[in-house]
Amino acid sequence: MELRVYPVKVQQVTDVATRIVENHRGQGWQALSIVITYDRREVLPSYAAFEWAPEGRWADAAKGDAASWQGYRLHEAVVRDKLTQPDKCQVPSEQAYRLNNEFNQATEDNVEVSEETVLADIAKRGHNISTARAEELVLTVEDWTMC
């Protein structure tokens, strides 16, 4: 789930997760894992992750009644500080997301290349920025995601 709004309150994110659960009711799911991000390019839940399972425990999914969801509840598995302390976090720019994506692809494709080399290449290749600025933008996305 992508929620490109900021700041967001915990209750708003919980409401989204609850609506997702309701949309899947009666479909025979043993459990649901709901990851809510600001931007779908983020690899970790930047806002929150929820589990809908028996007593809120994903490990007990096989023990649940998938037909009725009797005893199921929504569990907040991850709630990031950006929801509880929004002033600590800064939303990355589109340019930051583009550079972060380029950086991740380049380092995935070639694990032997150094990060410094990748950043220098990205900075030169059509972005017309310094290597230091490229690194700053890449780190902005990582800082945001982990905030």
Side-chain angles (χ1 to χ4, degrees):
M1 175 80 199
E2 181 183 49
L3 194 59
R4 290 201 70 154
V5 176
Y6 193 74
V8 177
K9 297 191 181 324
V10 173
Q11 188 58 51
Q12 289 172 288
V13 174
T14 303
D15 290 347
V16 168
T18 301
R19 283 196 311 269
I20 291 169
V21 167
E22 289 306 315
N23 289 340
H24 289 83
R25 186 172 294 281
Q27 296 179 15
W29 294 88
Q30 291 294 107
L32 295 175
S33 178
I34 303 163
V35 175
I36 301 177
T37 63
Y38 173 82
D39 188 287
R40 64 188 69 211
R41 292 171 286 193
E42 295 170 342
V43 295
L44 297 173
S46 66
Y47 282 145
F50 295 87
E51 295 173 351
W52 176 257
E55 300 305 320
R57 290 188 301 268
W58 184 263
D60 291 344
K63 299 176 188 172
D65 181 354
S68 71
W69 278 357
Q70 185 71 32
Y72 278 63
R73 71 176 177 84
L74 192 63
H75 167 69
E76 295 176 356
V78 174
V79 175
R80 295 280 183 204
D81 285 347
K82 64 176 60 79
L83 295 180
T84 58
Q85 302 171 47
D87 294 336
K88 288 180 55 180
C89 306
Q90 180 182 354
V91 178
S93 65
E94 265 314 301
Q95 183 185 27
Y97 275 111
R98 279 193 310 274
L99 269 67
N100 184 264
N101 187 45
E102 289 179 38
F103 177 81
N104 288 338
Q105 284 182 343
T107 53
E108 274 181 20
D109 293 343
N110 185 354
V111 294
E112 294 182 15
V113 68
S114 74
E115 291 183 0
E116 294 79 18
T117 301
V118 170
L119 288 167
D121 185 50
I122 289 171
K124 283 189 294 188
R125 194 175 2 130
H127 296 289
N128 200 27
I129 58 174
S130 69
T131 301
R133 179 69 177 142
E135 181 177 21
E136 179 183 319
L137 289 167
V138 167
L139 290 176
T140 300
V141 175
E142 293 175 14
D143 289 347
W144 160 260
T145 302
M146 298 307 292
C147 185

